[in-house]
Coordinates of all heavy atoms in Angstrom, one line a residue:
M1 N 13.8 3.5 21.1 CA 13.7 3.0 19.7 C 12.2 2.7 19.3 O 11.6 2.1 20.3 CB 14.7 1.8 19.5 CG 14.8 1.3 18.2 SD 15.9 -0.2 18.1 CE 17.1 0.5 17.0
G2 N 11.8 3.0 18.3 CA 10.3 2.8 18.0 C 10.1 1.3 17.6 O 10.9 0.6 17.3
L3 N 8.8 0.9 17.6 CA 8.5 -0.3 17.1 C 8.4 -0.6 15.6 O 8.0 0.5 14.9 CB 6.9 -0.6 17.6 CG 6.8 -0.7 19.2 CD1 5.3 -1.0 19.6 CD2 7.6 -1.8 19.8
K4 N 8.9 -1.6 15.2 CA 8.9 -1.9 13.8 C 7.5 -2.5 13.3 O 6.9 -3.3 13.8 CB 10.1 -2.9 13.4 CG 10.4 -3.1 12.0 CD 11.5 -4.0 11.8 CE 11.6 -4.3 10.3 NZ 12.7 -5.2 10.1
R5 N 7.0 -1.8 12.2 CA 5.9 -2.3 11.7 C 6.0 -3.7 10.9 O 7.1 -3.8 10.2 CB 5.2 -1.3 10.7 CG 4.8 0.1 11.3 CD 4.2 1.0 10.3 NE 5.3 1.5 9.5 CZ 5.1 2.3 8.5 NH1 4.0 2.6 8.0 NH2 6.0 2.7 7.8
S6 N 5.0 -4.3 10.8 CA 5.0 -5.6 9.9 C 4.9 -5.3 8.6 O 4.4 -4.2 8.3 CB 4.0 -6.6 10.5 OG 2.7 -6.1 10.1
K7 N 5.3 -6.2 7.7 CA 5.2 -6.1 6.3 C 3.7 -6.0 5.9 O 3.3 -5.1 5.1 CB 5.8 -7.2 5.5 CG 7.3 -7.2 5.6 CD 7.8 -8.2 4.8 CE 9.4 -8.3 5.0 NZ 10.1 -9.3 4.1
E8 N 2.8 -6.8 6.6 CA 1.4 -6.8 6.3 C 0.8 -5.3 6.6 O 0.0 -4.8 6.0 CB 0.7 -7.7 7.2 CG 1.1 -9.2 6.8 CD 2.4 -9.6 7.2 OE1 3.0 -9.0 8.1 OE2 2.8 -10.7 6.8
A9 N 1.2 -4.7 7.8 CA 0.8 -3.4 8.2 C 1.1 -2.2 7.1 O 0.4 -1.4 6.8 CB 1.3 -3.0 9.6
I10 N 2.4 -2.5 6.6 CA 2.9 -1.5 5.6 C 2.0 -1.7 4.3 O 1.7 -0.7 3.6 CB 4.4 -1.8 5.3 CG1 5.2 -1.3 6.6 CG2 4.7 -0.8 4.1 CD1 6.6 -1.7 6.6
I11 N 1.8 -3.0 3.9 CA 1.0 -3.3 2.7 C -0.3 -2.7 2.7 O -0.8 -2.0 1.9 CB 1.0 -4.7 2.4 CG1 2.4 -5.2 1.9 CG2 -0.2 -5.1 1.5 CD1 2.6 -6.7 1.7
C12 N -1.0 -2.9 4.0 CA -2.4 -2.3 4.2 C -2.4 -0.8 4.0 O -3.3 -0.3 3.5 CB -2.9 -2.8 5.6 SG -4.6 -2.6 5.9
K13 N -1.4 -0.2 4.7 CA -1.3 1.3 4.7 C -1.0 1.7 3.3 O -1.9 2.7 2.9 CB -0.1 1.8 5.5 CG 0.1 3.2 5.6 CD -1.1 3.8 6.3 CE -1.1 5.4 6.6 NZ -2.3 6.0 7.1
I14 N -0.3 1.1 2.4 CA -0.1 1.4 1.0 C -1.4 1.3 0.3 O -1.9 2.2 -0.6 CB 1.0 0.7 0.3 CG1 2.4 1.1 0.9 CG2 1.1 1.0 -1.2 CD1 3.6 0.4 0.6
L15 N -2.0 0.2 0.4 CA -3.5 0.0 -0.2 C -4.4 1.0 0.1 O -5.1 1.5 -0.7 CB -3.9 -1.3 0.1 CG -3.1 -2.6 -0.5 CD1 -3.7 -3.8 0.2 CD2 -3.1 -2.7 -1.9
E16 N -4.4 1.4 1.4 CA -5.4 2.6 1.8 C -5.0 3.8 1.2 O -5.8 4.6 0.8 CB -5.3 2.6 3.4 CG -6.0 1.5 4.1 CD -5.8 1.5 5.5 OE1 -4.8 2.4 6.2 OE2 -6.5 0.6 6.2
I17 N -3.7 4.2 1.2 CA -3.3 5.5 0.5 C -3.6 5.5 -0.9 O -4.0 6.4 -1.4 CB -1.7 5.7 0.7 CG1 -1.5 5.8 2.2 CG2 -1.3 6.8 0.0 CD1 0.1 5.6 2.6
C18 N -3.6 4.3 -1.5 CA -3.7 4.4 -3.1 C -5.2 4.1 -3.5 O -5.5 4.1 -4.7 CB -3.0 3.1 -3.7 SG -1.2 3.3 -3.6
A19 N -6.1 4.0 -2.4 CA -7.5 3.8 -2.7 C -8.2 5.0 -3.7 O -8.9 4.5 -4.5 CB -8.4 3.8 -1.4
N20 N -7.7 6.1 -3.5 CA -8.2 7.2 -4.5 C -7.1 7.6 -5.5 O -7.2 8.6 -6.2 CB -8.6 8.4 -3.6 CG -9.8 8.1 -2.8 OD1 -10.9 7.4 -3.2 ND2 -9.8 8.3 -1.5
G21 N -6.1 6.7 -5.5 CA -5.0 7.2 -6.4 C -3.9 8.1 -5.8 O -4.2 8.9 -5.0
A22 N -2.7 7.8 -6.0 CA -1.7 8.4 -5.2 C -0.3 8.3 -6.0 O -0.1 7.4 -6.7 CB -1.5 7.8 -3.9
T23 N 0.5 9.4 -6.0 CA 1.8 9.4 -6.5 C 2.7 8.5 -5.6 O 2.4 8.4 -4.3 CB 2.4 10.8 -6.8 OG1 2.5 11.4 -5.5 CG2 1.5 11.5 -7.7
K24 N 4.0 8.2 -6.1 CA 4.9 7.7 -5.2 C 5.2 8.5 -4.2 O 5.4 8.1 -2.9 CB 6.1 7.1 -6.0 CG 7.1 6.4 -5.2 CD 8.4 6.1 -5.9 CE 8.2 5.2 -7.2 NZ 9.3 4.9 -7.9
T25 N 5.4 9.8 -4.3 CA 5.8 10.7 -3.3 C 4.7 10.8 -2.1 O 5.1 10.8 -1.0 CB 5.9 12.1 -3.9 OG1 6.9 12.1 -4.9 CG2 6.2 13.2 -2.8
A26 N 3.4 10.7 -2.5 CA 2.4 10.7 -1.4 C 2.5 9.4 -0.6 O 2.3 9.6 0.5 CB 1.0 10.8 -2.3
I27 N 2.7 8.3 -1.4 CA 2.8 7.1 -0.7 C 3.9 7.0 0.4 O 3.8 6.7 1.5 CB 2.9 5.8 -1.7 CG1 1.7 5.8 -2.6 CG2 3.2 4.6 -0.9 CD1 1.9 4.9 -3.8
V28 N 5.1 7.7 -0.1 CA 6.2 7.7 0.8 C 5.9 8.6 2.0 O 6.1 8.1 3.1 CB 7.5 8.3 0.1 CG1 8.6 8.7 1.0 CG2 8.0 7.2 -0.9
Y29 N 5.4 9.7 1.9 CA 5.3 10.6 3.0 C 3.9 10.1 3.9 O 4.1 10.2 5.1 CB 4.9 12.1 2.5 CG 6.3 12.7 2.0 CD1 6.5 13.0 0.7 CD2 7.2 13.0 2.9 CE1 7.6 13.5 0.3 CE2 8.5 13.6 2.7 CZ 8.6 13.8 1.2 OH 9.8 14.4 0.7
Q30 N 2.9 9.8 3.2 CA 1.7 9.3 4.1 C 2.0 8.0 4.7 O 1.5 7.8 5.8 CB 0.5 9.4 3.1 CG -0.1 10.7 2.6 CD -1.2 10.5 1.8 OE1 -2.1 9.7 2.0 NE2 -1.2 11.5 0.8
G31 N 2.7 7.1 4.1 CA 2.9 6.0 4.6 C 4.3 5.8 5.6 O 4.6 4.8 6.1
N32 N 4.9 7.0 5.7 CA 6.1 7.2 6.6 C 7.1 6.1 6.2 O 7.8 5.4 7.0 CB 5.7 7.0 8.1 CG 6.8 7.4 8.8 OD1 7.6 8.4 8.6 ND2 6.8 6.9 10.3
L33 N 7.3 6.1 4.8 CA 8.3 5.2 4.3 C 9.4 5.9 3.6 O 9.4 7.2 3.8 CB 7.6 4.3 3.1 CG 6.6 3.4 3.7 CD1 5.7 2.9 2.6 CD2 7.1 2.4 4.5
N34 N 10.4 5.4 2.9 CA 11.3 6.1 2.1 C 11.3 5.6 0.7 O 10.7 4.5 0.4 CB 12.6 6.2 2.6 CG 13.4 4.9 2.7 OD1 13.4 4.2 1.6 ND2 14.0 4.4 3.9
F35 N 11.9 6.3 -0.3 CA 11.8 6.0 -1.7 C 12.5 4.7 -1.9 O 12.0 3.9 -2.8 CB 12.4 7.2 -2.5 CG 11.6 8.3 -2.7 CD1 11.6 9.4 -1.8 CD2 10.4 8.2 -3.6 CE1 10.7 10.4 -1.9 CE2 9.5 9.4 -3.8 CZ 9.7 10.5 -3.0
H36 N 13.5 4.4 -1.4 CA 14.2 3.1 -1.5 C 13.3 1.9 -1.1 O 13.4 0.9 -1.8 CB 15.5 3.1 -0.7 CG 16.3 1.8 -0.8 ND1 17.1 1.5 -1.9 CD2 16.6 0.8 0.0 CE1 17.6 0.4 -1.9 NE2 17.3 -0.1 -0.6
T37 N 12.7 2.0 0.1 CA 12.0 0.7 0.6 C 10.6 0.6 0.0 O 10.0 -0.3 -0.1 CB 11.8 0.8 2.1 OG1 11.1 2.1 2.5 CG2 13.1 0.9 2.8
V38 N 10.0 1.7 -0.6 CA 8.6 1.6 -1.1 C 8.6 0.8 -2.5 O 7.8 0.2 -2.8 CB 8.0 3.1 -1.3 CG1 8.5 3.8 -2.6 CG2 6.5 3.0 -1.3
V39 N 9.6 0.9 -3.3 CA 9.7 0.2 -4.6 C 9.5 -1.3 -4.6 O 8.5 -1.7 -5.2 CB 11.0 0.5 -5.3 CG1 11.2 -0.2 -6.6 CG2 11.1 2.0 -5.6
P40 N 10.0 -2.1 -3.6 CA 9.7 -3.5 -3.7 C 8.2 -3.7 -3.3 O 7.6 -4.5 -3.8 CB 10.6 -4.1 -2.6 CG 11.7 -3.0 -2.4 CD 11.1 -1.7 -2.7
Y41 N 7.7 -2.8 -2.3 CA 6.2 -3.1 -1.9 C 5.5 -2.7 -3.2 O 4.4 -3.5 -3.4 CB 5.9 -2.0 -0.8 CG 6.5 -2.6 0.5 CD1 7.4 -2.0 1.1 CD2 5.8 -3.7 1.1 CE1 7.9 -2.6 2.3 CE2 6.3 -4.0 2.4 CZ 7.3 -3.5 3.0 OH 7.8 -3.9 4.2
L42 N 5.6 -1.7 -3.9 CA 4.8 -1.3 -5.1 C 4.9 -2.4 -6.1 O 4.0 -2.8 -6.8 CB 5.2 0.1 -5.6 CG 5.0 1.2 -4.7 CD1 5.6 2.5 -5.5 CD2 3.5 1.4 -4.4
D43 N 6.1 -2.9 -6.3 CA 6.3 -4.0 -7.3 C 5.4 -5.2 -7.0 O 4.8 -5.9 -7.8 CB 7.8 -4.4 -7.5 CG 8.6 -3.4 -8.2 OD1 8.0 -2.3 -8.8 OD2 9.9 -3.3 -8.0
R44 N 5.5 -5.7 -5.6 CA 4.9 -6.8 -5.2 C 3.3 -6.5 -5.3 O 2.7 -7.5 -5.8 CB 5.2 -7.1 -3.7 CG 4.5 -8.3 -3.3 CD 5.0 -8.7 -1.9 NE 4.2 -9.9 -1.5 CZ 4.3 -10.4 -0.1 NH1 4.9 -9.7 0.6 NH2 3.5 -11.3 0.1
L45 N 2.8 -5.5 -4.9 CA 1.4 -5.2 -5.0 C 1.0 -5.1 -6.4 O -0.2 -5.6 -6.7 CB 1.1 -3.9 -4.3 CG 1.2 -3.9 -2.8 CD1 1.3 -2.5 -2.2 CD2 0.3 -4.9 -2.1
K46 N 1.7 -4.6 -7.4 CA 1.3 -4.7 -8.8 C 1.3 -6.1 -9.3 O 0.4 -6.5 -10.0 CB 2.4 -3.9 -9.7 CG 2.1 -2.4 -9.5 CD 2.9 -1.6 -10.5 CE 4.4 -1.8 -10.3 NZ 5.4 -0.9 -11.2
K47 N 2.4 -6.9 -8.9 CA 2.5 -8.4 -9.3 C 1.3 -9.0 -8.8 O 0.7 -9.9 -9.6 CB 3.7 -8.8 -8.9 CG 4.0 -10.4 -9.3 CD 5.2 -11.0 -8.7 CE 5.3 -12.3 -9.0 NZ 6.0 -13.1 -8.0
E48 N 0.8 -8.8 -7.6 CA -0.3 -9.5 -7.1 C -1.8 -8.9 -7.4 O -2.7 -9.3 -7.1 CB -0.2 -9.5 -5.7 CG 1.0 -10.2 -5.0 CD 1.1 -11.7 -5.4 OE1 0.1 -12.3 -5.6 OE2 2.3 -12.2 -5.5
K49 N -1.6 -7.7 -8.4 CA -2.8 -7.2 -8.8 C -3.7 -6.6 -7.7 O -4.9 -6.5 -7.9 CB -3.6 -8.1 -9.7 CG -2.8 -8.6 -11.1 CD -3.7 -9.2 -12.0 CE -3.1 -9.8 -13.1 NZ -1.8 -9.4 -13.7
L50 N -3.0 -6.0 -6.7 CA -3.6 -5.4 -5.6 C -3.6 -3.9 -5.9 O -4.5 -3.1 -5.3 CB -3.0 -5.7 -4.3 CG -3.0 -7.1 -3.8 CD1 -2.2 -7.4 -2.7 CD2 -4.5 -7.5 -3.7
I51 N -2.7 -3.4 -6.6 CA -2.7 -1.9 -7.2 C -2.4 -2.0 -8.7 O -2.0 -3.0 -9.2 CB -1.7 -1.1 -6.5 CG1 -0.3 -1.6 -6.7 CG2 -2.0 -0.9 -5.0 CD1 0.9 -0.7 -6.2
E52 N -2.8 -0.9 -9.3 CA -2.5 -0.7 -10.7 C -1.8 0.5 -11.0 O -1.9 1.5 -10.1 CB -3.8 -0.8 -11.7 CG -4.9 0.4 -11.3 CD -6.1 0.2 -12.2 OE1 -6.1 -0.4 -13.1 OE2 -7.1 0.7 -11.5
Q53 N -0.9 0.5 -11.9 CA -0.2 1.8 -12.2 C -0.8 2.5 -13.2 O -0.9 2.0 -14.5 CB 1.3 1.4 -12.5 CG 2.3 2.5 -12.7 CD 3.7 2.0 -12.8 OE1 4.2 0.9 -12.5 NE2 4.5 2.7 -13.5
L54 N -1.1 3.7 -13.0 CA -1.8 4.6 -14.1 C -0.7 5.6 -14.7 O -0.1 6.2 -13.9 CB -2.8 5.3 -13.5 CG -4.0 4.5 -12.7 CD1 -4.9 5.5 -11.9 CD2 -4.7 3.6 -13.5
Q55 N -0.7 5.5 -16.0 CA 0.3 6.4 -16.7 C -0.4 7.7 -17.0 O -1.4 7.8 -17.9 CB 0.8 5.9 -18.0 CG 1.7 4.6 -17.6 CD 3.0 4.8 -16.8 OE1 3.5 6.0 -16.7 NE2 3.4 3.9 -16.0
Q56 N -0.3 8.8 -16.3 CA -0.8 10.1 -16.6 C 0.4 11.1 -16.7 O 1.6 10.6 -17.0 CB -1.8 10.5 -15.3 CG -2.9 9.5 -15.3 CD -3.7 9.7 -14.1 OE1 -3.3 10.4 -13.0 NE2 -5.0 9.3 -14.1
K57 N 0.2 12.4 -16.3 CA 1.4 13.2 -16.3 C 2.3 12.7 -15.3 O 3.5 12.8 -15.6 CB 0.8 14.6 -15.8 CG 0.5 15.7 -16.8 CD 0.4 17.0 -16.3 CE -0.4 18.0 -17.1 NZ -0.5 19.4 -16.3
R58 N 1.8 12.5 -14.2 CA 2.7 11.6 -13.2 C 2.2 10.3 -12.9 O 1.0 10.2 -12.9 CB 2.6 12.5 -11.9 CG 3.1 13.9 -11.9 CD 3.0 14.5 -10.6 NE 4.2 15.0 -10.1 CZ 4.3 15.5 -8.9 NH1 3.3 15.5 -8.0 NH2 5.4 16.0 -8.5
T59 N 3.0 9.4 -12.7 CA 2.6 8.0 -12.5 C 1.9 8.0 -11.1 O 2.3 8.5 -10.2 CB 3.9 7.1 -12.4 OG1 4.5 7.2 -13.7 CG2 3.4 5.6 -12.1
R60 N 0.6 7.4 -11.2 CA -0.2 7.2 -10.1 C -0.5 5.8 -9.9 O -0.5 5.0 -10.8 CB -1.5 8.0 -10.1 CG -1.2 9.5 -10.2 CD -2.4 10.3 -10.5 NE -3.4 10.3 -9.3 CZ -3.3 10.9 -8.1 NH1 -2.2 11.8 -8.0 NH2 -4.2 10.9 -7.2
Y61 N -0.7 5.4 -8.6 CA -1.0 4.1 -8.2 C -2.5 4.1 -7.7 O -2.7 5.0 -6.7 CB 0.1 3.5 -7.2 CG 1.4 3.5 -7.8 CD1 2.2 4.6 -7.6 CD2 1.9 2.3 -8.4 CE1 3.6 4.6 -8.2 CE2 3.2 2.4 -9.0 CZ 4.0 3.4 -8.8 OH 5.2 3.5 -9.4
K62 N -3.3 3.0 -8.1 CA -4.6 3.0 -7.6 C -4.8 1.6 -7.2 O -4.5 0.6 -7.7 CB -5.6 3.4 -8.7 CG -7.0 3.3 -8.3 CD -7.8 4.3 -8.9 CE -9.3 4.5 -8.7 NZ -9.6 4.5 -7.3
T63 N -5.4 1.4 -5.9 CA -5.9 0.1 -5.5 C -7.0 -0.4 -6.2 O -8.0 0.1 -6.6 CB -6.4 0.4 -3.9 OG1 -5.3 1.0 -3.2 CG2 -6.5 -1.0 -3.4
T64 N -6.9 -1.7 -6.6 CA -7.9 -2.4 -7.4 C -8.9 -3.0 -6.5 O -8.7 -2.8 -5.2 CB -7.2 -3.7 -8.2 OG1 -6.7 -4.6 -7.2 CG2 -6.0 -3.2 -9.0
Q65 N -9.9 -3.5 -7.2 CA -11.1 -4.2 -6.2 C -10.4 -5.2 -5.5 O -10.8 -5.3 -4.3 CB -12.1 -4.7 -7.2 CG -13.2 -5.2 -6.4 CD -14.1 -4.2 -5.6 OE1 -14.2 -3.0 -5.8 NE2 -14.5 -4.6 -4.4
K66 N -9.6 -6.0 -6.0 CA -8.9 -7.1 -5.1 C -8.2 -6.5 -4.1 O -8.3 -7.1 -2.8 CB -7.9 -7.8 -6.1 CG -7.3 -9.0 -5.3 CD -6.3 -9.8 -6.4 CE -5.6 -10.9 -5.8 NZ -4.5 -11.5 -6.6
G67 N -7.5 -5.3 -4.2 CA -6.7 -4.7 -3.2 C -7.8 -4.2 -2.0 O -7.4 -4.3 -1.0
L68 N -8.9 -3.5 -2.4 CA -9.8 -3.2 -1.4 C -10.4 -4.4 -0.6 O -10.6 -4.1 0.6 CB -11.0 -2.4 -2.1 CG -10.7 -1.2 -3.0 CD1 -11.8 -0.6 -3.7 CD2 -10.1 0.0 -2.0
E69 N -10.5 -5.5 -1.3 CA -11.0 -6.6 -0.5 C -9.8 -7.0 0.5 O -10.2 -7.5 1.6 CB -11.4 -7.8 -1.4 CG -12.6 -7.5 -2.3 CD -12.8 -8.3 -3.5 OE1 -12.1 -9.2 -3.6 OE2 -13.7 -8.1 -4.2
A70 N -8.6 -7.0 0.1 CA -7.4 -7.2 0.9 C -7.6 -6.4 2.2 O -7.4 -6.9 3.3 CB -6.2 -7.2 0.2
I71 N -7.8 -5.1 1.9 CA -7.8 -4.2 3.1 C -8.8 -4.7 4.1 O -8.6 -4.7 5.3 CB -8.1 -2.7 2.7 CG1 -6.9 -2.2 1.9 CG2 -8.4 -1.7 3.9 CD1 -7.3 -0.8 1.2
E72 N -10.1 -4.9 3.5 CA -11.3 -5.4 4.4 C -10.8 -6.7 5.2 O -11.0 -6.7 6.4 CB -12.4 -5.7 3.5 CG -13.3 -4.6 3.3 CD -14.5 -5.0 2.5 OE1 -15.2 -6.0 3.0 OE2 -14.8 -4.4 1.5
T73 N -10.2 -7.6 4.5 CA -9.8 -8.9 5.2 C -8.7 -8.6 6.2 O -8.9 -9.1 7.4 CB -9.3 -9.9 4.2 OG1 -10.3 -10.0 3.1 CG2 -8.9 -11.2 4.7
M74 N -7.8 -7.8 6.0 CA -6.8 -7.5 6.9 C -7.3 -6.8 8.1 O -6.9 -7.0 9.3 CB -5.6 -6.7 6.3 CG -4.7 -7.5 5.4 SD -3.2 -6.7 4.8 CE -3.7 -6.0 3.3
N75 N -8.2 -6.0 7.8 CA -8.8 -5.1 9.1 C -9.6 -6.1 10.0 O -9.7 -6.0 11.2 CB -9.6 -4.0 8.5 CG -8.9 -2.8 8.0 OD1 -7.7 -2.5 8.4 ND2 -9.4 -2.1 7.2
K76 N -10.4 -7.0 9.3 CA -11.2 -8.1 10.1 C -10.2 -8.8 10.9 O -10.6 -9.1 12.1 CB -12.0 -8.9 9.1 CG -13.3 -8.3 8.5 CD -14.0 -9.1 7.6 CE -15.1 -8.4 6.9 NZ -15.7 -9.3 5.8
I77 N -9.1 -9.4 10.2 CA -8.3 -10.2 11.1 C -7.6 -9.4 12.2 O -7.5 -9.9 13.4 CB -7.1 -10.7 10.1 CG1 -7.7 -11.8 9.1 CG2 -6.0 -11.3 11.0 CD1 -6.7 -12.0 8.0
S78 N -7.3 -8.1 11.9 CA -6.7 -7.3 13.1 C -7.7 -7.1 14.1 O -7.3 -7.1 15.3 CB -6.4 -6.0 12.4 OG -5.6 -5.2 13.3
Q79 N -9.0 -6.9 13.9 CA -10.1 -6.8 14.7 C -10.2 -8.0 15.7 O -10.3 -8.1 17.0 CB -11.3 -6.3 14.3 CG -11.4 -5.0 13.8 CD -12.7 -4.6 13.0 OE1 -13.4 -5.5 12.7 NE2 -12.9 -3.4 12.8
M80 N -10.2 -9.2 15.0 CA -10.3 -10.5 15.6 C -9.2 -10.8 16.6 O -9.3 -11.3 17.6 CB -10.3 -11.6 14.5 CG -11.7 -11.5 13.7 SD -11.6 -12.7 12.4 CE -11.6 -14.3 13.2
L81 N -8.0 -10.2 16.2 CA -6.8 -10.3 17.1 C -6.8 -9.3 18.2 O -5.8 -9.3 19.0 CB -5.7 -10.4 16.2 CG -5.4 -11.5 15.3 CD1 -4.2 -11.5 14.5 CD2 -5.4 -13.0 16.1
G82 N -7.5 -8.3 18.2 CA -7.7 -7.3 19.1 C -6.6 -6.1 18.9 O -6.2 -5.4 19.8
H83 N -6.2 -6.0 17.7 CA -5.3 -4.8 17.2 C -6.0 -3.9 16.4 O -6.8 -4.2 15.7 CB -4.1 -5.4 16.4 CG -3.4 -6.5 17.1 ND1 -3.5 -7.8 16.8 CD2 -2.4 -6.4 18.2 CE1 -2.6 -8.5 17.6 NE2 -2.0 -7.7 18.5
A84 N -5.6 -2.6 16.6 CA -6.1 -1.6 15.7 C -5.4 -1.6 14.4 O -4.2 -1.7 14.4 CB -6.0 -0.2 16.4
A85 N -6.1 -1.5 13.3 CA -5.4 -1.6 12.0 C -5.0 -0.2 11.5 O -5.5 0.7 12.0 CB -6.4 -2.2 11.0

């Protein structure tokens, strides 16, 4: 049985995927998630203004400046604790 990722690791991965803009499908596949579990994460990240939802032909999600700063902070903490982010 594989190791379960922390919620923080999943959030960081989603923020990284969305840095250049991504569809929900891209987030699901690149983040190794499923469509059911990704929705609460996207809702929370939007609520906290870490990502923004762009309405184009297809809905895309983009990491905000606050989200980019969150990635940096999480990576620093991970390095301090001796974990690879």
